[in-house]
Amino acid sequence: MRWVSNIYRLGIKEIYSLLRDPVLMGLILYTFTFAIYTVANGVKTELHNASIAIVDEDRSVLSSQLVAAFLPPYFKAPELIELSEVDPGMDKGRYTFVLDIPPRFEADVLAGRYPAIQLNVDATAMAIAGNGTHYITSILNGELLQYVSRSSADAALPVDLRVRAKFNPNLDSTWFMAVMQIINNLTILAIVLGGAAVIREREHGTLEHLLVMPVTVSEIMVAKIWANGLVIVIAAVLSLQIVVQGLLGIPITGSVLLFALGAAVYLFAVTAMGITLATVATTMPQFGLLSIPVFVVMNLLSGGITPLESMPPALQQAVQVLPSTHFIQFAQAVLYRGAGIGIVWPQLLATAVIGMAFLAFALVRFRATLAAVR
């Protein structure tokens, strides 16, 4: 009971210390409000207002029908250009897509000669190049099928394909970006606040004061973890309720309480990681430089940005040691698909086990740091 009491009292001291730090409080406020809102509205992964130019060398009814098929909000109004303007326009980045309709295209289609249409894509615009190519192909196939079916009764497709998108019916990237930004901010804030709690004690000279108090190393470290983790969990839950559901109007189908439970388990692991980095660094700038590559790797390789299935098999196995890999699977299942504890308990258990390993390693490092201060 004394161990629990000391952890509680030291944690309250950490919360008071954090509340009196205007820079860190401003960082928390910005991270879970403005940063969530702007990223969700500003970063688009679906096709929207893509620039397209068309070289119409046929000047026929069919080619005019194809030009008129590209409409907002997916595309800007198509710009009719000459063949000599294609390369200069794409070199300057004016067009993401350039469609070249060859001469005698309509006559060749009606004669069954299977003419070719050239589509030039600026593949440096990776966010929309793949999706845009799929959209343009679908638009062209639909218009050509409609045109040919006027003169051929058997031109209709033998299969009626119906697509139903689950969990995000309109394929709106705002739904994805808002929730993923909260998860990413959980990670970086846990690392920053956990490490800053140790660096702050060292820079203010209060670490020596803790050593003369009747407390153990584990009590000091666990208190820092639960205090900073509690602040982040509360901020994340409020961000889900106020920013995501309120301002952005994004529905959260799953249990926010279950998400908060998983976030608390995850934050134990990540905050312990931040404390470990703080025991290696001696100043806040050094800690910041150390934490950046750690966060970038966890962010890019945890399955939130790109699916794990697209990674090399060896890398898929390697990232299983990261707590963020399991937490992202947990959070997506709970918040997007409304999964309950009966479905996500393996991810929650894996996060807890990895968190205990990080906690044990951080305790060893933190004990060594305090021994060096003595």
Side-chain angles (χ1 to χ4, degrees):
M1 292 301 297
R2 181 178 179 181
W3 187 79
V4 174
S5 177
N6 288 341
I7 290 177
Y8 170 75
R9 295 180 186 276
L10 287 172
I12 296 299
K13 185 216 38 117
E14 287 294 329
I15 293 177
Y16 280 137
S17 178
L18 179 60
L19 293 177
R20 289 194 299 266
D21 192 327
V23 175
L24 291 180
M25 290 303 298
L27 175 64
I28 295 174
L29 180 63
Y30 166 81
T31 301
F32 285 108
T33 54
F34 186 77
I36 302 294
Y37 186 84
T38 53
V39 170
N41 281 322
V43 178
K44 299 289 185 182
T45 57
E46 71 270 17
L47 194 67
H48 184 74
N49 280 338
S51 57
I52 183 171
I54 298 178
V55 180
D56 188 359
E57 300 182 84
D58 189 31
R59 304 289 179 176
S60 63
V61 174
L62 176 57
S63 65
S64 300
Q65 179 178 330
L66 296 180
V67 172
F70 296 96
L71 301 171
Y74 301 117
F75 298 94
K76 295 180 181 178
E79 185 176 341
L80 295 177
I81 61 175
E82 299 297 328
L83 186 61
S84 59
E85 301 177 66
V86 173
D87 288 340
M90 297 200 72
D91 290 342
K92 295 177 182 178
R94 292 179 56 189
Y95 315 119
T96 305
F97 305 98
V98 176
L99 188 67
D100 184 5
I101 303 175
R104 296 189 52 80
F105 176 71
E106 182 181 44
D108 290 340
V109 168
L110 294 177
R113 298 192 185 98
Y114 297 98
I117 297 180
Q118 184 184 75
L119 176 63
N120 300 277
V121 182
D122 182 1
T124 60
M126 287 298 298
I128 62 174
N131 290 338
T133 302
H134 173 72
Y135 272 71
I136 292 174
T137 303
S138 299
I139 290 173
L140 293 178
N141 288 336
E143 294 297 325
L144 289 172
L145 182 61
Q146 180 183 2
Y147 183 81
V148 173
S149 64
R150 297 172 184 172
S151 57
S152 176
D154 58 351
L157 289 176
V159 177
D160 183 13
L161 178 63
R162 302 293 179 92
V163 178
R164 293 182 174 90
K166 300 190 67 175
F167 314 119
N168 188 356
N170 296 323
L171 303 178
D172 188 356
S173 63
T174 303
W175 289 27
F176 172 81
M177 294 304 302
V179 175
M180 286 308 304
Q181 190 66 11
I182 288 181
I183 297 174
N184 293 337
N185 291 348
L186 275 173
T187 303
I188 191 170
L189 273 183
I191 294 176
V192 170
L193 293 186
V198 176
I199 300 290
R200 187 170 54 241
E201 299 278 11
R202 183 182 297 154
E203 292 180 342
H204 293 174
T206 56
L207 196 58
E208 292 81 358
H209 297 171
L210 291 175
L211 296 178
V212 300
M213 296 175 62
V215 293
T216 63
V217 175
S218 63
E219 292 171 353
I220 297 173
M221 193 187 74
V222 174
K224 292 182 180 299
I225 292 177
W226 84 256
N228 290 282
L230 177 64
V231 173
I232 298 174
V233 169
I234 293 175
V237 170
L238 290 177
S239 182
L240 277 175
Q241 300 286 345
I242 298 173
V243 179
V244 175
Q245 291 185 294
L247 295 179
L248 295 173
I250 300 173
I252 300 297
T253 59
S255 171
V256 176
L257 290 179
L258 180 58
F259 170 76
L261 172 63
V265 174
Y266 173 66
L267 288 173
F268 259 90
V270 182
T271 307
M273 185 185 302
I275 292 177
T276 303
L277 294 176
T279 61
V280 177
T282 57
T283 63
M284 199 64 188
Q286 288 182 359
F287 171 73
L289 291 175
L290 282 174
S291 61
I292 289 175
V294 173
F295 166 72
V296 169
V297 170
M298 292 179 64
N299 181 32
L300 295 179
L301 299 182
S302 298
I305 303 299
T306 57
L308 293 177
E309 293 81 3
S310 64
M311 300 179 187
L315 187 58
Q316 293 183 34
Q317 298 299 322
V319 297
Q320 296 302 316
V321 302
L322 297 176
S324 54
T325 301
H326 305 281
F327 177 68
I328 286 177
Q329 294 175 357
F330 166 87
Q332 289 180 343
V334 172
L335 297 179
Y336 291 148
R337 300 188 289 272
I341 188 66
I343 296 178
V344 298
W345 70 265
Q347 289 78 25
L348 192 61
L349 179 61
T351 305
V353 171
I354 297 173
M356 292 302 296
F358 276 110
L359 191 64
F361 182 74
L363 182 59
V364 173
R365 286 292 312 168
F366 192 58
R367 184 178 287 113
T369 300
L370 294 183
V373 174
R374 289 192 180 97

